[in-house]
Amino acid sequence: MTETLSPVLPDEVDRAARDVLEAACAKKLALATAESCTGGMLASLLTDVEGVSSTFERGFVVYSIDAKCELLGLAHDFVERCGAVSREVAVAMAQGALAASHADIALAVTGFAGPAGPDDEPGLVHFACARTGYETTHRETHFGDIGRGPTRIECMRVALEMIGEAIGKTGD
């Protein structure tokens, strides 16, 4: 069971985090995260599970465009052109986290957890999962205007599912 986030997490998210970490440990796979709208919540969740958190290699909280560029190697004009909340940027974030770490799998999340600009869709979130030797996967979600906290919790569900799928790939 997670320790610090457990009071706010649904039991199935808590179990999913443990399952993902145990599977990564069993396959000796290291994990990394690159988070924008979740603000490090996924990294926190992955380090809260006692006994298996050692599989988590590092996390990048890249809330600003500058952070995405400086820490993950994205070009500023690329982010401006595509938009910080886009498929392209999510994929580049995951690949950048993989390249800037010693991880085997990196999960990236970027989106609007709550109201943003006038043309931005609250609850629009892009996820990408990169694994060394495999094609990077992407998922776009539309959680709706459910609030920042609930959106972040829903992000945990999707992120853990995608990491689990990446762990389950053959060829280990």
Side-chain angles (χ1 to χ4, degrees), residues 1-3 5-24 31 42 45-46 48-50 52 153 156-157 159-161 163-164 167:
M1 173 173 248
T2 61
E3 190 171 314
L5 290 175
S6 59
V8 298
L9 284 179
D11 289 342
E12 65 272 12
V13 173
D14 196 63
R15 278 192 305 278
R18 175 166 288 286
D19 291 348
V20 159
L21 288 166
E22 287 175 351
L31 307 177
L42 180 59
L45 177 61
L46 294 172
D48 283 349
V49 182
E50 193 173 328
V52 287
I153 289 172
M156 296 304 102
R157 293 179 200 275
L160 292 167
E161 183 178 311
I163 294 170
I167 291 169

Side-chain angles (χ1 to χ4, degrees), residues 22-154:
E22 287 175 351
C25 279
K27 291 190 174 188
K28 297 182 176 24
L29 296 171
L31 307 177
T33 60
E35 301 178 71
S36 184
C37 66
T38 52
M41 186 175 180
L42 180 59
S44 178
L45 177 61
L46 294 172
T47 58
D48 283 349
V49 182
E50 193 173 328
V52 287
S53 62
S54 62
T55 195
F56 182 74
E57 205 273 326
R58 73 182 72 186
F60 300 91
V61 178
V62 289
Y63 203 69
S64 70
I65 291 175
D66 286 343
K68 289 173 179 64
C69 298
E70 292 168 13
L71 297 175
L72 302 177
L74 281 66
H76 205 279
D77 64 331
F78 168 77
V79 179
E80 290 288 338
R81 185 176 64 253
C82 296
V85 178
S86 65
R87 170 189 171 85
E88 295 83 4
V89 168
V91 167
M93 286 171 59
Q95 292 170 346
L98 204 59
S101 71
H102 301 288
D104 303 292
I105 296 171
L107 189 289
V109 57
T110 183
F112 302 115
D119 295 328
D120 298 329
E121 176 190 338
L124 169 63
V125 182
H126 288 271
F127 299 84
C129 191
R131 179 170 173 185
T132 304
Y134 293 89
E135 188 174 331
T136 301
T137 60
H138 168 263
R139 194 172 301 174
E140 178 180 322
T141 60
H142 301 266
F143 297 120
D145 194 2
I146 60 174
R148 295 177 75 76
T151 297
R152 288 175 170 168
I153 289 172
E154 291 306 312

